[in-house]
Amino acid sequence: MSNSSDIILKRAEVLIDQERYELAAKELYKILTTEPEHVDAIANLVRSLTGSSQYSEAKQWIEKLLYLAPDRAYFYYLAAFVEVRIKDFDLAEKHIRTAIQLEPDWAMHFEVLSRIYQHRGKYEEGLIYANEGLRLDPDHIDCLDARLFSLSMLGHKEEAWATINQALKLEPENPYLRRDIGVALMHLGDYEAAEYHLQETLRIEPSYEDVQKHLGKTIKQKQWPYRISRTANVVFNRLLSLPSRLPHTEYGYALLSLLFIAVLFVFLFFKQQTMVWALLILPLGCLLFFISLYLFQFLFNTLWKPVIYISDLWLYTHKKHKHLYQTEKQKVVQTGQLIGIGVILLVLCIIFGKNVPLLAWIVLTIVVLYWYGKHSQKNTSS
């Protein structure tokens, strides 16, 4: 490597650290024009292209990089990182496991493997690999971050807080860490602490746009309509999960099966309808109980949606939280339209109450509000 290439490479690495990816790529292309097989320049170019979301071009350079240096673990790590970004988790796992075979003592390899399993929704496995990385390097900040995410998704609050405290002792001014702590605490339902850490993220890095979205969600979840909705749904879900919480659930199903066989036997051979109904009352009662629970949960969530949307509208227009309006303008407009539809239907209900049954208008209002709420959520999330 020539002295000029060495200087350009160092300058490009500084630009990458500053997240000035396009300028870094221009510098690296200068090296590759004269030295097309310069593997360190290619590796940094992959970092630059990935940082600027040019994934297809990054993959092309990755293929060349792995061809030129098939024994460099770091290059397989880069390949896995790119594949994670484009959500090809199978290929990402293949690359990172190759990196682990070449360099089994690098904690960052296990951090990537942990993230792959988290993306698949396998948080237990993600936690195992994050812990393996921390076994190799107890202060590896990215492994701590990956461990925190798995713990938050699994609902392990005490272990999550221990991980947060350990990470903050190492890097209290890391904006990415603060953001991830805020998101993890949101999953754990600790919205006060989540808001604090997200505000700290903006203090450290004011231009971090992604944080405003999470901050808005956190502030909304602290409002009383959301608290009531969460509490009600927790109660419903716990009641609905009662069968799975009972010991020896399979024995219960076996007994119910035997009961139905007994009912069929009595009906076919003895024609005793009274006894049949006596035997059926228990399973029928249980069935009706759970059907009614599903129905009540559906009705509650449907009827409560207008309250939540009105709460959102108040929040977006309130002086203290007016900054949220900038991140969710579309939601504000949709909320206003939603309330407008409800008001129009209610007015029509009053005007035409004599000709159209009141109940029909109420049902129609609920259906429209529910459908519109679902539709607006899809639009906002997309």
Side-chain angles (χ1 to χ4, degrees):
M1 181 168 62
S2 64
N3 289 334
S4 60
S5 297
D6 191 14
I7 293 169
I8 294 171
L9 184 62
K10 288 180 179 178
R11 187 161 61 237
E13 288 174 348
V14 171
L15 290 168
I16 291 171
D17 291 338
Q18 295 173 349
E19 299 184 2
R20 300 165 70 184
Y21 299 116
E22 292 183 2
L23 289 176
K26 287 180 181 179
E27 295 293 327
L28 293 164
Y29 280 125
K30 293 177 184 177
I31 300 175
L32 294 170
T33 301
T34 56
E35 300 176 62
E37 296 187 353
H38 194 307
V39 290
D40 291 327
I42 295 173
N44 280 286
L45 180 59
V46 169
R47 291 176 62 198
S48 300
L49 293 171
T50 305
S52 57
S53 302
Q54 300 179 58
Y55 302 123
S56 58
E57 192 172 349
K59 276 177 68 75
Q60 292 174 10
W61 284 103
I62 276 289
E63 290 174 6
K64 183 174 182 178
L65 189 63
L66 296 181
Y67 173 77
L68 293 171
D71 57 346
R72 292 275 295 274
Y74 176 65
F75 296 161
Y76 286 96
Y77 163 82
L78 278 181
F81 187 79
V82 173
E83 299 299 340
V84 167
R85 287 293 190 92
I86 61 178
K87 302 186 186 306
D88 189 343
F89 302 120
D90 292 337
L91 188 54
E93 183 175 0
K94 179 183 175 182
H95 285 314
I96 203 63
R97 288 196 181 276
T98 304
I100 290 170
Q101 288 177 354
L102 294 169
E103 289 287 349
D105 297 331
W106 281 11
M108 65 182 184
H109 293 160
F110 291 95
E111 184 262 334
V112 173
L113 194 54
S114 174
R115 300 293 190 188
I116 290 168
Y117 276 88
Q118 288 171 356
H119 279 295
R120 290 169 173 165
K122 298 181 178 180
Y123 304 113
E124 291 281 3
E125 290 88 340
L127 182 59
I128 290 170
Y129 290 118
N131 286 337
E132 180 62 23
L134 291 169
R135 184 186 65 79
L136 298 169
D137 183 357
D139 292 336
H140 195 284
I141 198 69
D142 292 328
C143 285
L144 285 169
D145 197 339
R147 171 180 162 81
L148 173 61
F149 184 76
S150 281
L151 288 170
S152 69
M153 296 305 292
L154 293 168
H156 299 167
K157 197 166 188 175
E158 290 184 9
E159 292 178 73
W161 269 110
T163 305
I164 288 170
N165 293 331
Q166 183 183 352
L168 287 176
K169 285 180 183 177
L170 296 169
E171 296 189 19
E173 295 296 301
N174 183 332
Y176 304 103
L177 175 63
R178 288 280 187 175
R179 187 277 310 270
D180 290 349
I181 289 172
V183 173
L185 290 170
M186 280 175 58
H187 288 303
L188 291 168
D190 196 339
Y191 299 109
E192 289 287 348
E195 183 182 355
Y196 168 76
H197 285 286
L198 291 171
Q199 293 284 13
E200 282 294 288
T201 307
L202 292 175
R203 177 187 64 80
I204 299 165
E205 185 57 68
S207 61
Y208 208 153
E209 294 180 2
D210 184 52
V211 177
Q212 290 286 0
K213 179 182 70 175
H214 294 300
L215 187 59
K217 289 180 181 178
T218 303
I219 292 171
K220 285 197 295 184
Q221 289 293 334
K222 288 164 56 182
Q223 306 305 309
W224 64 267
Y226 284 90
R227 291 201 298 270
I228 291 174
S229 179
R230 286 198 306 273
T231 304
N233 280 291
V234 165
V235 172
F236 281 124
N237 291 330
R238 285 184 178 176
L239 289 171
L240 289 168
S241 64
L242 276 177
S244 63
R245 294 171 182 268
L246 294 173
H248 306 298
T249 307
E250 62 275 15
Y251 296 153
Y253 289 128
L255 286 172
L256 284 175
S257 300
L258 289 172
L259 184 62
F260 278 109
I261 291 171
V263 168
L264 185 63
F265 179 79
V266 169
F267 181 75
L268 290 176
F269 292 96
F270 296 101
K271 306 293 184 182
Q272 295 290 328
Q273 293 187 4
T274 304
M275 191 178 293
V276 169
W277 282 109
L279 288 170
L280 277 175
I281 193 167
L282 179 62
L284 283 174
C286 291
L287 183 63
L288 288 172
F289 173 74
F290 286 106
I291 289 175
S292 63
L293 275 178
Y294 278 113
L295 180 62
F296 286 140
Q297 186 178 29
F298 171 79
L299 287 174
F300 171 79
N301 288 327
T302 303
L303 292 168
W304 200 245
K305 276 192 182 297
V307 179
I308 286 177
Y309 277 90
I310 291 169
S311 171
D312 287 351
L313 188 62
W314 174 85
L315 199 64
Y316 299 143
T317 54
H318 196 265
K319 288 183 180 179
K320 186 179 178 181
H321 303 300
K322 214 162 188 178
H323 62 284
L324 297 179
Y325 178 83
Q326 297 302 320
T327 59
E328 298 203 35
K329 289 180 181 178
Q330 184 182 7
K331 190 71 173 290
V332 174
V333 173
Q334 289 170 339
T335 305
Q337 291 172 342
L338 182 63
I339 295 169
I341 290 171
V343 171
I344 291 169
L345 287 172
L346 287 173
V347 170
L348 289 173
C349 176
I350 295 169
I351 295 172
F352 299 105
K354 294 179 181 179
N355 302 320
V356 181
L358 181 63
L359 183 62
W361 280 111
I362 293 173
V363 171
L364 181 60
T365 304
I366 291 170
V367 170
V368 171
L369 290 174
Y370 181 77
W371 175 85
Y372 198 83
K374 284 283 188 184
H375 183 68
S376 63
Q377 281 181 348
K378 289 179 181 177
N379 287 341
T380 307
S381 60
S382 62

